[in-house]
Short mmCIF file of all heavy atoms in Angstrom, two decimals:
data_model
loop_
_atom_site.label_atom_id
_atom_site.label_comp_id
_atom_site.label_asym_id
_atom_site.label_seq_id
_atom_site.Cartn_x
_atom_site.Cartn_y
_atom_site.Cartn_z
N GLU V 123 123.18 45.64 128.56
CA GLU V 123 122.31 44.82 127.72
C GLU V 123 122.25 43.40 128.25
O GLU V 123 123.12 42.95 129.00
CB GLU V 123 122.83 44.79 126.27
CG GLU V 123 122.76 46.12 125.57
CD GLU V 123 121.37 46.46 125.08
OE1 GLU V 123 120.47 45.59 125.16
OE2 GLU V 123 121.17 47.60 124.62
N LYS V 124 121.24 42.67 127.85
CA LYS V 124 121.16 41.25 128.20
C LYS V 124 122.29 40.50 127.50
O LYS V 124 122.78 40.94 126.46
CB LYS V 124 119.82 40.67 127.76
CG LYS V 124 118.62 41.28 128.50
CD LYS V 124 117.32 40.68 128.02
CE LYS V 124 116.14 41.30 128.75
NZ LYS V 124 114.85 40.75 128.29
N PRO V 125 122.71 39.35 128.03
CA PRO V 125 123.85 38.62 127.47
C PRO V 125 123.73 38.29 125.99
O PRO V 125 124.71 38.24 125.28
CB PRO V 125 123.90 37.33 128.31
CG PRO V 125 123.30 37.72 129.61
CD PRO V 125 122.22 38.72 129.27
N ASP V 126 122.51 38.06 125.50
CA ASP V 126 122.36 37.67 124.10
C ASP V 126 121.93 38.83 123.22
O ASP V 126 121.55 38.64 122.09
CB ASP V 126 121.35 36.53 123.95
CG ASP V 126 119.95 36.94 124.37
OD1 ASP V 126 119.80 37.99 125.04
OD2 ASP V 126 119.01 36.22 124.02
N ALA V 127 121.98 40.05 123.76
CA ALA V 127 121.45 41.20 123.02
C ALA V 127 122.30 41.56 121.81
O ALA V 127 121.83 42.23 120.91
CB ALA V 127 121.33 42.41 123.93
N HIS V 128 123.57 41.11 121.78
CA HIS V 128 124.42 41.45 120.65
C HIS V 128 124.25 40.50 119.48
O HIS V 128 124.81 40.70 118.42
CB HIS V 128 125.89 41.44 121.09
CG HIS V 128 126.35 40.10 121.54
ND1 HIS V 128 126.03 39.59 122.77
CD2 HIS V 128 127.09 39.14 120.92
CE1 HIS V 128 126.56 38.38 122.92
NE2 HIS V 128 127.19 38.09 121.80
N ALA V 129 123.49 39.43 119.69
CA ALA V 129 123.30 38.46 118.62
C ALA V 129 122.43 39.06 117.53
O ALA V 129 121.69 40.02 117.72
CB ALA V 129 122.63 37.21 119.17
N VAL V 130 122.52 38.47 116.33
CA VAL V 130 121.76 38.98 115.19
C VAL V 130 120.29 38.60 115.36
O VAL V 130 119.95 37.46 115.60
CB VAL V 130 122.31 38.39 113.87
CG1 VAL V 130 121.49 38.89 112.70
CG2 VAL V 130 123.77 38.75 113.70
N HIS V 131 119.39 39.58 115.24
CA HIS V 131 117.97 39.34 115.37
C HIS V 131 117.26 39.84 114.13
O HIS V 131 117.86 40.41 113.22
CB HIS V 131 117.41 40.05 116.61
CG HIS V 131 117.98 39.54 117.90
ND1 HIS V 131 117.78 38.26 118.33
CD2 HIS V 131 118.74 40.14 118.85
CE1 HIS V 131 118.37 38.07 119.51
NE2 HIS V 131 118.97 39.21 119.83
N GLY V 132 115.93 39.68 114.11
CA GLY V 132 115.14 40.21 113.03
C GLY V 132 114.95 41.71 113.20
O GLY V 132 115.59 42.35 114.03
N LYS V 133 114.02 42.26 112.41
CA LYS V 133 113.78 43.69 112.47
C LYS V 133 113.21 44.10 113.82
O LYS V 133 112.44 43.38 114.44
CB LYS V 133 112.82 44.09 111.36
CG LYS V 133 113.37 43.91 109.95
CD LYS V 133 112.36 44.35 108.92
CE LYS V 133 112.87 44.15 107.50
NZ LYS V 133 111.87 44.56 106.49
N ASP V 134 113.60 45.29 114.24
CA ASP V 134 113.11 45.86 115.49
C ASP V 134 111.98 46.84 115.14
O ASP V 134 112.21 47.83 114.44
CB ASP V 134 114.26 46.60 116.18
CG ASP V 134 113.84 47.24 117.50
OD1 ASP V 134 112.63 47.43 117.72
OD2 ASP V 134 114.73 47.56 118.30
N PRO V 135 110.75 46.58 115.58
CA PRO V 135 109.62 47.45 115.23
C PRO V 135 109.85 48.91 115.61
O PRO V 135 109.45 49.81 114.87
CB PRO V 135 108.45 46.84 116.02
CG PRO V 135 108.83 45.40 116.21
CD PRO V 135 110.33 45.41 116.38
N ALA V 136 110.48 49.14 116.76
CA ALA V 136 110.72 50.52 117.18
C ALA V 136 111.69 51.21 116.23
O ALA V 136 111.51 52.39 115.88
CB ALA V 136 111.28 50.54 118.61
N ALA V 137 112.72 50.48 115.80
CA ALA V 137 113.68 51.05 114.85
C ALA V 137 113.01 51.30 113.50
O ALA V 137 113.25 52.34 112.86
CB ALA V 137 114.87 50.10 114.68
N GLU V 138 112.17 50.38 113.07
CA GLU V 138 111.43 50.56 111.82
C GLU V 138 110.57 51.82 111.87
O GLU V 138 110.53 52.60 110.91
CB GLU V 138 110.54 49.35 111.54
CG GLU V 138 111.27 48.12 111.05
CD GLU V 138 110.30 47.05 110.60
OE1 GLU V 138 109.78 46.33 111.47
OE2 GLU V 138 110.05 46.94 109.37
N ALA V 139 109.89 52.00 113.00
CA ALA V 139 109.01 53.17 113.15
C ALA V 139 109.82 54.46 113.11
O ALA V 139 109.40 55.46 112.51
CB ALA V 139 108.21 53.06 114.45
N ALA V 140 111.00 54.44 113.75
CA ALA V 140 111.85 55.64 113.77
C ALA V 140 112.32 56.00 112.37
O ALA V 140 112.31 57.17 111.97
CB ALA V 140 113.04 55.41 114.69
N VAL V 141 112.70 54.99 111.59
CA VAL V 141 113.16 55.24 110.22
C VAL V 141 112.01 55.69 109.34
O VAL V 141 112.17 56.58 108.49
CB VAL V 141 113.85 53.98 109.66
CG1 VAL V 141 114.12 54.14 108.16
CG2 VAL V 141 115.16 53.71 110.39
N GLU V 142 110.83 55.10 109.53
CA GLU V 142 109.67 55.48 108.74
C GLU V 142 109.29 56.94 108.97
O GLU V 142 108.69 57.58 108.09
CB GLU V 142 108.48 54.57 109.07
CG GLU V 142 108.58 53.17 108.51
CD GLU V 142 108.59 53.15 106.98
OE1 GLU V 142 107.88 53.98 106.37
OE2 GLU V 142 109.33 52.33 106.41
N ALA V 143 109.62 57.46 110.14
CA ALA V 143 109.28 58.84 110.46
C ALA V 143 110.20 59.85 109.77
O ALA V 143 109.92 61.05 109.78
CB ALA V 143 109.32 59.05 111.98
N LEU V 144 111.29 59.38 109.17
CA LEU V 144 112.20 60.29 108.47
C LEU V 144 111.58 60.78 107.17
O LEU V 144 110.75 60.09 106.56
CB LEU V 144 113.52 59.56 108.14
CG LEU V 144 114.38 59.08 109.32
CD1 LEU V 144 115.60 58.33 108.78
CD2 LEU V 144 114.83 60.25 110.18
N SER V 145 112.00 61.95 106.73
CA SER V 145 111.59 62.41 105.41
C SER V 145 112.33 61.59 104.36
O SER V 145 113.29 60.88 104.65
CB SER V 145 111.93 63.89 105.24
OG SER V 145 113.34 64.07 105.14
N TRP V 146 111.85 61.70 103.13
CA TRP V 146 112.48 60.93 102.04
C TRP V 146 113.96 61.30 101.91
O TRP V 146 114.82 60.42 101.77
CB TRP V 146 111.74 61.21 100.73
CG TRP V 146 112.26 60.42 99.56
CD1 TRP V 146 112.26 59.06 99.42
CD2 TRP V 146 112.87 60.96 98.39
NE1 TRP V 146 112.83 58.71 98.21
CE2 TRP V 146 113.21 59.86 97.56
CE3 TRP V 146 113.16 62.25 97.94
CZ2 TRP V 146 113.83 60.03 96.32
CZ3 TRP V 146 113.76 62.41 96.71
CH2 TRP V 146 114.10 61.31 95.91
N ARG V 147 114.27 62.58 101.95
CA ARG V 147 115.66 63.03 101.82
C ARG V 147 116.51 62.54 102.99
O ARG V 147 117.65 62.14 102.82
CB ARG V 147 115.72 64.56 101.73
CG ARG V 147 115.33 65.12 100.38
CD ARG V 147 116.29 64.71 99.30
NE ARG V 147 116.14 65.52 98.11
CZ ARG V 147 116.78 65.28 96.96
NH1 ARG V 147 117.59 64.23 96.87
NH2 ARG V 147 116.61 66.07 95.92
N GLN V 148 115.96 62.62 104.20
CA GLN V 148 116.71 62.14 105.36
C GLN V 148 117.01 60.64 105.23
O GLN V 148 118.10 60.18 105.57
CB GLN V 148 115.93 62.41 106.64
CG GLN V 148 115.84 63.89 106.99
CD GLN V 148 114.80 64.18 108.04
OE1 GLN V 148 114.05 63.30 108.46
NE2 GLN V 148 114.73 65.44 108.47
N ARG V 149 116.05 59.89 104.73
CA ARG V 149 116.24 58.45 104.53
C ARG V 149 117.34 58.21 103.49
O ARG V 149 118.16 57.31 103.63
CB ARG V 149 114.94 57.80 104.09
CG ARG V 149 115.03 56.27 103.90
CD ARG V 149 113.73 55.75 103.30
NE ARG V 149 113.83 54.33 102.98
CZ ARG V 149 113.43 53.35 103.78
NH1 ARG V 149 112.91 53.64 104.96
NH2 ARG V 149 113.55 52.09 103.39
N GLN V 150 117.34 59.01 102.42
CA GLN V 150 118.38 58.89 101.40
C GLN V 150 119.77 59.07 102.01
O GLN V 150 120.70 58.30 101.73
CB GLN V 150 118.18 59.94 100.31
CG GLN V 150 117.04 59.68 99.35
CD GLN V 150 116.95 60.81 98.35
OE1 GLN V 150 116.92 61.99 98.71
NE2 GLN V 150 116.94 60.46 97.09
N VAL V 151 119.91 60.11 102.82
CA VAL V 151 121.21 60.38 103.44
C VAL V 151 121.58 59.25 104.40
O VAL V 151 122.75 58.85 104.46
CB VAL V 151 121.18 61.75 104.16
CG1 VAL V 151 122.47 61.98 104.94
CG2 VAL V 151 120.99 62.88 103.14
N LEU V 152 120.61 58.73 105.13
CA LEU V 152 120.88 57.61 106.04
C LEU V 152 121.37 56.40 105.25
O LEU V 152 122.32 55.71 105.68
CB LEU V 152 119.62 57.25 106.83
CG LEU V 152 119.75 56.07 107.80
CD1 LEU V 152 120.83 56.34 108.84
CD2 LEU V 152 118.41 55.80 108.48
N LEU V 153 120.78 56.14 104.11
CA LEU V 153 121.24 55.03 103.27
C LEU V 153 122.67 55.27 102.77
O LEU V 153 123.47 54.34 102.69
CB LEU V 153 120.29 54.84 102.08
CG LEU V 153 118.95 54.20 102.40
CD1 LEU V 153 117.99 54.35 101.21
CD2 LEU V 153 119.12 52.72 102.75
N GLY V 154 122.97 56.52 102.46
CA GLY V 154 124.33 56.85 102.06
C GLY V 154 125.32 56.60 103.17
O GLY V 154 126.42 56.09 102.96
N ILE V 155 124.93 56.96 104.40
CA ILE V 155 125.77 56.69 105.57
C ILE V 155 125.97 55.19 105.73
O ILE V 155 127.07 54.71 106.02
CB ILE V 155 125.13 57.29 106.84
CG1 ILE V 155 125.11 58.82 106.76
CG2 ILE V 155 125.86 56.83 108.09
CD1 ILE V 155 124.30 59.48 107.87
N LEU V 156 124.89 54.42 105.52
CA LEU V 156 124.94 52.97 105.65
C LEU V 156 125.90 52.37 104.62
O LEU V 156 126.52 51.33 104.88
CB LEU V 156 123.54 52.38 105.48
CG LEU V 156 123.32 50.94 105.91
CD1 LEU V 156 123.66 50.75 107.38
CD2 LEU V 156 121.88 50.52 105.64
N CYS V 157 126.04 53.03 103.48
CA CYS V 157 127.00 52.59 102.46
C CYS V 157 128.44 52.93 102.84
O CYS V 157 129.38 52.44 102.21
CB CYS V 157 126.69 53.25 101.12
SG CYS V 157 125.18 52.67 100.32
N GLY V 158 128.58 53.80 103.84
CA GLY V 158 129.91 54.24 104.23
C GLY V 158 130.42 55.43 103.45
O GLY V 158 131.61 55.75 103.50
N HIS V 159 129.51 56.13 102.76
CA HIS V 159 129.93 57.28 101.96
C HIS V 159 130.11 58.52 102.82
O HIS V 159 129.28 58.80 103.70
CB HIS V 159 128.89 57.60 100.88
CG HIS V 159 128.71 56.52 99.87
ND1 HIS V 159 129.74 55.73 99.43
CD2 HIS V 159 127.58 56.09 99.21
CE1 HIS V 159 129.28 54.87 98.53
NE2 HIS V 159 127.99 55.07 98.38
N PRO V 160 131.15 59.32 102.57
CA PRO V 160 131.26 60.63 103.24
C PRO V 160 130.25 61.58 102.64
O PRO V 160 129.64 61.32 101.59
CB PRO V 160 132.70 61.06 102.91
CG PRO V 160 133.02 60.35 101.62
CD PRO V 160 132.30 59.04 101.70
#
Side-chain angles (χ1 to χ4, degrees):
E123 294 281 352
K124 295 179 180 179
D126 64 344
H128 63 283
V130 178
H131 296 296
K133 294 181 181 179
D134 180 342
E138 284 189 279
V141 170
E142 286 297 323
L144 296 177
S145 71
W146 182 63
R147 283 295 196 187
Q148 291 166 355
R149 182 187 174 95
Q150 286 179 309
V151 173
L152 179 59
L153 286 168
I155 294 171
L156 195 58
C157 290
H159 296 325

